[in-house]
Amino acid sequence: MANSRSFPAPAAPAPVGAPQPPGRARLRAVAPDESGAPARVPLPDLLPPGATWLPAPQHALPTLPGQPPMVGYLLLVPAGQEQAGADSGAPEAVPSGPVTVDAVRRAAEVEGRPLDLTYLEFELLAHLVAHPHRVHTRDQLVTTVWGYGHVGDGRTVDVHVARLRRKLGAEHRRTIQTVRRVGYKYVPPTPR
């Protein structure tokens, strides 16, 4: 299982260069080999101007049974700068081919037709659309969408993907592709 976990957090700007789906403020623990930053670049060089960072208090970080304690940092950004990179007036809707996911309104559409999705179906679709062409294992999806507290297996993901495909309709159901013995990926159709 991948060593990543997402936690809801108050809106805070992500470090420079860190990809983050629009409208979703999240803390994410990553394995050292997953970090997008080059290993030899010091962390302060990646921070916005005027920002400082400090180690997060251990009591503020989640603990996982049987796992070593997590290490986290707090990013302090001067007042007035926090909105500079976080919201530049760009729309919160993420269009990816015929499927559009609006995280602010918590609405999804396929070719302008609204989809009636449950909470978890929306979260699953939003996650897949935010990372097109990336293969997600069932374990990664359970961890990211359902969270570590979920008791179940990859079959839960299979059931939700089947429901999503049905709601996308016959023409667009193939945008969520199965990668045998691994998981799923979202592939927007190529323009003709």
Side-chain angles (χ1 to χ4, degrees), residues 11 16-17 29 45 57 65-66 87 100 104 111 143-144 152 155 159 164 181 187:
V16 173
D45 292 348
D87 186 15
T100 304
V104 173
E111 289 188 343
T143 300
T144 304
R155 187 71 186 128
V159 169
L164 268 178
R181 299 183 63 119
V187 180

Side-chain angles (χ1 to χ4, degrees), residues 48-142:
T52 57
W53 62 284
L54 3 137
Q58 194 60 44
H59 71 275
L61 299 171
T63 57
L64 302 172
Q67 297 291 324
M70 290 186 178
V71 177
Y73 296 92
L74 299 174
L75 178 63
L76 304 173
V77 181
Q81 269 190 334
E82 64 273 359
Q83 293 298 327
D87 186 15
S88 57
E92 293 294 328
V94 179
S96 186
V99 178
T100 304
V101 177
D102 186 343
V104 173
R105 292 186 311 127
R106 292 202 52 86
E109 297 176 345
V110 60
E111 289 188 343
R113 176 179 53 92
L115 297 173
D116 183 24
L117 302 175
T118 65
Y119 175 82
L120 288 171
E121 289 168 351
F122 178 85
E123 289 294 317
L124 180 58
L125 182 63
H127 182 73
L128 290 171
V129 168
H131 304 94
H133 304 287
R134 179 177 163 196
V135 178
H136 304 272
T137 67
R138 287 169 177 83
D139 286 342
Q140 287 171 337
L141 290 170
V142 166

Side-chain angles (χ1 to χ4, degrees), residues 13 30 167 173 191:
V30 295
K167 290 180 179 183
R173 70 181 303 120

Side-chain angles (χ1 to χ4, degrees), residues 1 21 27 50 61 80 82 93 97 99 107 111 114 124 156 158 166 176 178 183:
M1 183 178 326
L27 297 175
L61 299 171
E82 64 273 359
V99 178
E111 289 188 343
L124 180 58
T156 302
D158 297 341
R166 200 172 319 128
I176 300 176
T178 302

